[in-house]
Amino acid sequence: GDSVTQMEGPVTLSEEAFLTINCTYTATGYPSLFWYVQYPGEGLQLLLKATKADDKGSNKGFEATYRKETTSFHLEKGSVQVSDSAVYFCALSGGYNQGGKLIFGQGTELSVKP
Amino acid sequence: EPEVTQTPSHQVTQMGQEVILRCVPISNHLYFYWYRQILGQKVEFLVSFYNNEISEKSEIFDDQFSVERPDGSNFTLKIRSTKLEDSAMYFCASRLGQGANYGYTFGSGTRLTVV
């Protein structure tokens, strides 16, 4: 079945460092891809998404490009801040006839130190 | 911005008791979901609901679980006889449509602790 694999955390960075969180997926058809963020004590918030190959999703300085050839959707940010400390989830959703549920990766905890 | 509201934020229950988790989806949304997250693990799909019936459910969603939209506003998840392993954060989500461009809105979750 469809699945998402993320790099294991925790990831600890200094403020202003470059961030990459790797995400690869296995899916039939043409899924949409998402990054969700979960701040401490809060629910899931959509960070960015891409719905077709070569699309780039971006928000709040974060970017991810839908790479069909490598089945990847890596999350990047050029300069992280302490406020970016959170758990990041990569997820996919299948096509129209595939039920619409989200399939999540295991999450990657990011800790940014001042 | 419209929100998905979940109550309570934290519930403690004794093993074997029934528990009902409540969600108020965004008012014009048509598709509703429950997910759970056991502490430190991935978020897992439980069930999707559309047009007053379950459209898909996972292996986790066994006979102990049920969902209901009793009044066109609330969307509830009932666990009939809770087990210790049901302790988790439960998230409700809703969306307007099912195509790729329809986003999901998640509630802030109910933390269920079974003792």
Side-chain angles (χ1 to χ4, degrees), chain B:
Chain B
E1 189 171 331
E3 290 184 343
V4 173
T5 305
Q6 288 187 244
T7 55
S9 57
H10 190 187
Q11 176 139 9
V12 181
T13 189
Q14 288 202 323
M15 192 168 53
Q17 294 296 304
E18 175 182 285
V19 66
I20 296 175
L21 309 182
R22 301 183 191 280
C23 170
V24 179
I26 292 173
S27 60
N28 64 338
H29 282 189
L30 302 174
Y31 296 82
F32 313 109
Y33 306 85
W34 283 101
Y35 292 82
R36 79 171 185 191
Q37 183 185 26
I38 295 171
L39 188 64
Q41 299 186 24
K42 69 168 66 178
V43 178
E44 301 172 293
F45 167 76
L46 291 178
V47 65
S48 58
F49 191 86
Y50 168 72
N51 199 26
N52 279 321
E53 59 183 29
I54 290 173
S55 35
E56 187 177 359
K57 59 184 180 180
S58 71
E59 293 174 353
I60 303 166
F61 194 88
D62 60 21
D63 292 344
Q64 293 299 310
F65 291 87
S66 62
V67 289
E68 198 176 36
R69 189 156 160 80
D71 55 11
S73 170
N74 292 281
F75 179 51
T76 61
L77 174 69
K78 182 193 292 186
I79 308 175
R80 230 175 303 277
S81 176
T82 49
K83 303 189 281 282
L84 294 176
E85 53 266 37
D86 294 326
S87 295
M89 181 75 91
Y90 288 81
F91 292 106
C92 173
S94 70
R95 62 197 301 218
L96 177 61
Q98 206 172 331
N101 288 321
Y102 290 101
Y104 303 80
T105 303
F106 281 82
S108 54
T110 294
R111 179 166 297 285
L112 176 66
T113 303
V114 182
V115 297

Side-chain angles (χ1 to χ4, degrees), chain A residues 68-82:
Chain A
K68 190 165 173 61
E69 64 276 13
T70 54
T71 61
S72 65
F73 193 55
H74 304 320
L75 182 68
E76 296 182 334
K77 187 175 185 182
S79 175
V80 293
Q81 306 300 312
V82 172

